[in-house]
Each structure stands twice: as structure tokens, then as C-alpha cells.
Amino acid sequence: MQNTKDLVLVALFTAMIIVLGLIPPVPVPWVPVPVTLQTFGVMLAGLILGPWRGGLVVLTYVLIAMIGIPVLPGGRAGLAVLAGPTGGFLLGMIPGAVVTGFLAGRPKTNSSAGGQQGWSAAAPQVFRCWIASVVGGMLVVYAAGIPWLGIVTGMGLTKAAWAIAVFIPGDLLKALIAGIVAQRVRRLALV
């Protein structure tokens, strides 16, 4: 932490992920991993705060859950969660936020227009944020979660990957919304 602003931003985004995680999860019948909004928060943290503060946000969130405070979807908490089918996804969110922030890079502002941009100027930044969210918030998280799911449930890697395919359309939509929101916040240089 460099200053009070960093501390406040990390605390604020950790609280945001906690709130998103407390929204009731939607169970999927054939896979023991529910649909949640946690990854949306992970994407936003990486996009808006950058790799290191974003990673610290998710690390803080995971540590809060591991010490027993029920901040995970369904009010779960504790070290036993890591032994379950969602443990890999939870741990994968930490590097996911870092990669998302790294790939998003620093925001570009249009100083000649007083920071105001039309859609044509903003679209490449939204696209960059979307790609960063897909790679970090989805692929990195899936890369940690799918093997873990396959091992814990005994379904194997291939079957676990096919089971998770149901999440791809929703996660792509989360990545797009995160890209749009982050581009607007980044453009204002609020962080």
C-alpha cells in the first residue's frame, strides 16, 4: 500500500465483491458450481484498480472467507470450501484479477476534450477491457478451477471442462459489462 487512497480503494472493491458474492447463487443441475457474480467483481477490480491493487482486493476477499466470515455465495466460508468443487475457481480469481489488470493496461484519456469521448474513441478501450476480462477473469479462473473440479468430483478434466461450458455465455456478458463500466470509470480517472 502506498497511501490512504489505495487502502480505501482496496477496501471498497473487497466490499463490492463480498456484496456480489452474497447475491444468491443460481445452481446448475449437472455441475456442483453455481452461477455467481463474483467473477464480475474480479474483472472490475483488475480493470479499474490495475494488477496489483486488483489482486490484493481478491486476495483480501479470499482470506476473509478462509478465516470463517461467510462472504462466499450461499453464506459459505472456511478452509473446507477449498476442498470442495469451487476451491480452484476461488483461488484462480486472485491471479485472474492480476492478469486482467495487467492486460487492461493504463487508461488513455482524451485531454483535449476535457476527458469527454464519443463512442468511436471509447470502443477500442472497451474492447481492450473486454479482452482483458475474458483472458484474466475467465480463462485464468477456468484454468485453475476446471482441473480442481475434475479432481475433487472425480469427473476428470474433459468432463469438467464440458460441464463448465454452460458458464461461458454469461461470463462473456459479464466481461462486456465490466469492460463498459471500467472504461467509463477509467476515463474519469477516478482511481
Side-chain angles (χ1 to χ4, degrees), residues 93-106:
M93 289 190 297
I94 300 167
V98 172
V99 170
T100 300
F102 178 75
L103 293 176
R106 297 190 58 93

Side-chain angles (χ1 to χ4, degrees), residues 12-35:
L12 178 66
F13 274 78
T14 302
M16 177 191 67
I17 294 176
I18 289 170
V19 169
L20 290 170
L22 293 178
I23 294 172
V26 177
V28 178
W30 57 89
V31 63
V33 178
V35 175

Side-chain angles (χ1 to χ4, degrees), residues 1-96:
M1 289 290 151
Q2 292 182 354
N3 58 37
T4 304
K5 180 181 175 183
D6 289 337
L7 182 62
V8 169
L9 288 170
V10 168
L12 178 66
F13 274 78
T14 302
M16 177 191 67
I17 294 176
I18 289 170
V19 169
L20 290 170
L22 293 178
I23 294 172
V26 177
V28 178
W30 57 89
V31 63
V33 178
V35 175
T36 69
L37 290 176
Q38 290 170 296
T39 52
F40 178 67
V42 170
M43 293 172 190
L44 283 176
L47 291 173
I48 295 171
L49 299 181
W52 310 119
R53 290 186 297 180
L56 186 58
V57 164
V58 182
L59 176 63
T60 302
Y61 171 69
V62 170
L63 290 175
I64 288 170
M66 294 305 100
I67 62 170
I69 299 172
V71 296
L72 298 173
R76 298 173 309 126
L79 291 173
V81 172
L82 292 180
T86 61
F89 295 101
L90 184 62
L91 292 176
M93 289 190 297
I94 300 167

